[in-house]
């Protein structure tokens, strides 16, 4: 695919109608000021608000804005994947749409990549004080676990705000993995890298799209995507309970020999509960990996693009006129389909 621009900025959006105007208001001057050719790929991750139609309006006087709408919500990382696939730039930056990552830092990232001739520039948070205490603590725990399981190269201050060269994006796009966790996959590839620090700002509007359940999902994907060591926990637990059983058998035999065999309810009760618990944990662990293998073997697309404003030909016919369905009409129809029922 020809590289048509120097820089692609990929931004996944899920129900960001409230933030999108402010985001564009800050992103555009930051990018125009670079004096480079660029494109912005807004990936709408199946928003249920008017994000898509607002983006299509904004596109009218900002031709560099490209809208890629996914058919349904597939989650931040997969939306990012859709954006990386669509990006055509020599360098690609991924950034959140809520202005927590300052767009002005993109210029610094590009300059650092060129100056130091590196393939990856990580945006590193110098300050997380604007995040809630809950977010800070859970994020701290997440990175602590990941560093132990995945490797010491996982930075606890690097999220998904980063710049990557075409070489890196090419490798990422070729990954067969259904749900890669980019903040772990990118450093694991071992490309040359540097860091640019920035202050994590407060979400400009709307609320976080990462509730606890999604954070737990991300954690499971991160662990099972990188390490089989939890399966080893099962082996160790099994070994430990086997040793415990041997000791219990010896005690049981001694008790039988000495005739003290009537009381024993408590020990039986504990042993049954303990072993049952250990077995369920091990089954669950196995299940996580089997689930990943299952998803990979199905080979279903991780996302489907409903429309792409840069698509050369419209891919559907208008249901009424029979004529080609333009991206604008398609966007409006998507919005109607998704409007909450009053
Ligand atoms: N996002 C997305 N799909 C989702 C959840 C989030 O595309 O299912 C986007 C969201 O619009 C934002 C980015 O991912 O641009 C990060 O999400 P958010 O700011 O809610 O996460 P937080 O900063 O609270 O961790
Ligand atoms: Mg955010």
């Amino acid at each position: 695919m020809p590289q048509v621009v120097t820089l692609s900025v990929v931004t996944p959006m899920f129900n960001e109608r409230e933030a999108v105007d402010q985001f564009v208001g800050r992103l555009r001057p930051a990018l125009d000021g670079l004096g480079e050719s660029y494109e912005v790929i807004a990936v709408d991750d199946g928003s249920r608000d008017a994000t898509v139609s607002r983006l299509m309006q904004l596109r009218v006087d900002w031709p560099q804005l490209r809208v890629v709408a996914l058919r349904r919500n597939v989650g931040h990382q997969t939306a990012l994947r859709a954006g990386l696939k669509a990006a055509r730039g020599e360098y690609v930056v991924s950034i959140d749409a809520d202005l927590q990552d300052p767009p002005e830092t993109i210029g610094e990232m590009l300059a650092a990549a060129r100056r130091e001739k590196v393939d990856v520039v990580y945006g590193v948070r110098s300050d997380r004080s604007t995040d809630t205490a809950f977010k800070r603590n859970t994020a701290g725990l997440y990175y602590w676990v990941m560093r132990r399981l995945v490797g010491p190269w996982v930075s606890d201050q690097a999220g998904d705000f980063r710049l990557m060269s075409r070489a890196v994006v090419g490798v990422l796009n070729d990954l067969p993995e259904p749900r890669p966790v980019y903040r772990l996959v990118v450093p694991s590839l071992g490309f040359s890298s540097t860091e640019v620090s920035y202050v994590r700002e407060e979400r400009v509007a709307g609320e976080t799209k990462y509730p606890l359940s999604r954070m737990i999902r991300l954690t499971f994907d991160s662990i099972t995507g990188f390490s089989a060591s939890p399966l080893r926990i099962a082996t160790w637990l099994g070994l430990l309970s086997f040793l415990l059983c041997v000791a219990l058998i010896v005690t049981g035999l001694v008790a039988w020999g000495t005739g003290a065999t009537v009381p024993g309810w408590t020990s039986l009760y504990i042993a049954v509960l303990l072993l049952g618990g250990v077995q369920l944990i091990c089954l669950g662990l196995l299940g996580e990996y089997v689930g990943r293998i299952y998803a990979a073997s199905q080979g279903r697309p991780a996302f489907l693009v409903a429309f792409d404003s840069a698509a050369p030909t419209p891919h559907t016919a208008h249901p009424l006129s029979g004529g080609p369905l333009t991206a604008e009409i398609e966007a409006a129809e998507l919005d109607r389909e998704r409007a909450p029922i009053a």
Side-chain angles (χ1 to χ4, degrees):
M1 199 193 294
Q3 257 105 71
V4 288
V5 288
T6 303
L7 184 70
S8 297
V9 176
V10 173
T11 168
M13 296 189 180
F14 177 51
N15 294 345
E16 297 290 6
R17 174 65 190 88
E18 288 169 52
V20 71
D21 283 72
Q22 294 183 65
F23 176 66
V24 166
R26 255 179 78 185
L27 183 65
R28 186 169 187 182
L31 294 178
D32 285 342
L34 294 178
E36 304 278 355
S37 58
Y38 70 85
E39 63 174 357
V40 173
I41 300 176
V43 182
D44 173 69
D45 187 12
S47 297
R48 284 178 200 93
D49 60 6
T51 304
V52 183
S53 49
R54 184 60 192 144
L55 283 169
M56 294 309 284
Q57 285 167 1
L58 289 165
R59 217 184 137 251
V60 173
D61 54 32
W62 194 20
Q64 285 98 329
L65 178 62
R66 178 173 165 196
V67 184
V68 173
L70 304 185
R71 291 223 165 264
R72 66 171 175 87
N73 180 250
V74 290
H76 179 203
Q77 298 292 303
T78 309
L80 209 56
R81 188 176 172 91
L84 293 181
K85 288 228 158 143
R88 292 167 295 189
E90 201 183 317
Y91 290 97
V92 181
V93 171
S94 50
I95 185 170
D96 285 357
D98 57 359
L99 286 176
Q100 287 200 281
D101 310 328
E104 296 75 22
T105 309
I106 296 174
E108 276 176 56
M109 289 175 153
L110 188 60
R114 286 176 168 161
R115 190 179 56 241
E116 300 183 34
K117 297 192 170 43
V118 291
D119 281 297
V120 187
V121 181
Y122 296 103
V124 173
R125 300 162 229 202
S126 58
D127 171 24
R128 266 191 105 125
S129 57
T130 52
D131 277 344
T132 60
F134 175 72
K135 183 95 197 179
R136 274 203 307 276
N137 287 324
T138 46
L141 182 67
Y142 171 83
Y143 286 110
W144 183 84
V145 172
M146 289 313 138
R147 255 199 311 282
R148 260 144 204 84
L149 281 181
V150 178
W153 33 258
V154 177
S155 162
D156 57 349
Q157 296 307 332
D160 280 308
F161 185 28
R162 77 180 89 75
L163 176 140
M164 295 167 284
S165 69
R166 174 56 35 197
V168 179
V169 175
V171 172
L172 292 180
N173 286 346
D174 287 341
L175 288 180
E177 227 176 312
R179 287 197 305 257
V181 179
Y182 287 112
R183 66 187 68 175
L184 303 176
V185 172
V186 174
S188 80
L189 298 176
F191 279 96
S192 56
S193 68
T194 187
E195 294 179 348
V196 162
S197 76
Y198 71 99
V199 178
R200 183 96 171 145
E201 291 167 31
E202 245 168 285
R203 177 176 254 283
V204 72
E207 52 197 41
T208 176
K209 310 299 178 310
Y210 259 97
L212 186 61
S213 57
R214 277 185 191 244
M215 276 156 54
I216 293 173
R217 185 70 255 161
L218 182 74
T219 309
F220 273 113
D221 282 345
S222 305
I223 297 172
T224 54
F226 268 92
S227 168
S229 44
L231 288 177
R232 246 161 269 142
I233 299 176
T235 317
W236 284 108
L237 283 176
L239 206 65
L240 206 72
S241 28
F242 174 71
L243 290 178
L244 205 70
C245 284
V246 171
L248 285 174
I249 288 169
V250 173
T251 346
L253 285 178
V254 171
W256 177 70
T258 55
T261 46
V262 180
W265 181 83
T266 316
S267 53
L268 266 182
Y269 182 68
I270 291 174
V272 169
L273 283 185
L274 191 75
L275 285 177
V278 167
Q279 281 169 7
L280 283 180
I281 290 174
C282 299
L283 264 182
L285 286 175
L286 267 178
E288 280 296 323
Y289 289 90
V290 174
R292 275 185 88 86
I293 299 169
Y294 173 62
S297 70
Q298 281 179 314
R300 294 202 188 135
F303 60 86
L304 283 177
V305 173
F307 77 89
D308 181 341
S309 63
T313 44
H315 38 82
T316 354
H318 192 276
L320 296 179
S321 68
L325 189 55
T326 63
E328 280 77 4
I329 300 174
E330 238 177 294
E333 297 211 332
L334 262 184
D335 264 356
R336 249 200 314 282
E337 266 174 41
R338 287 171 183 162
I341 297 156

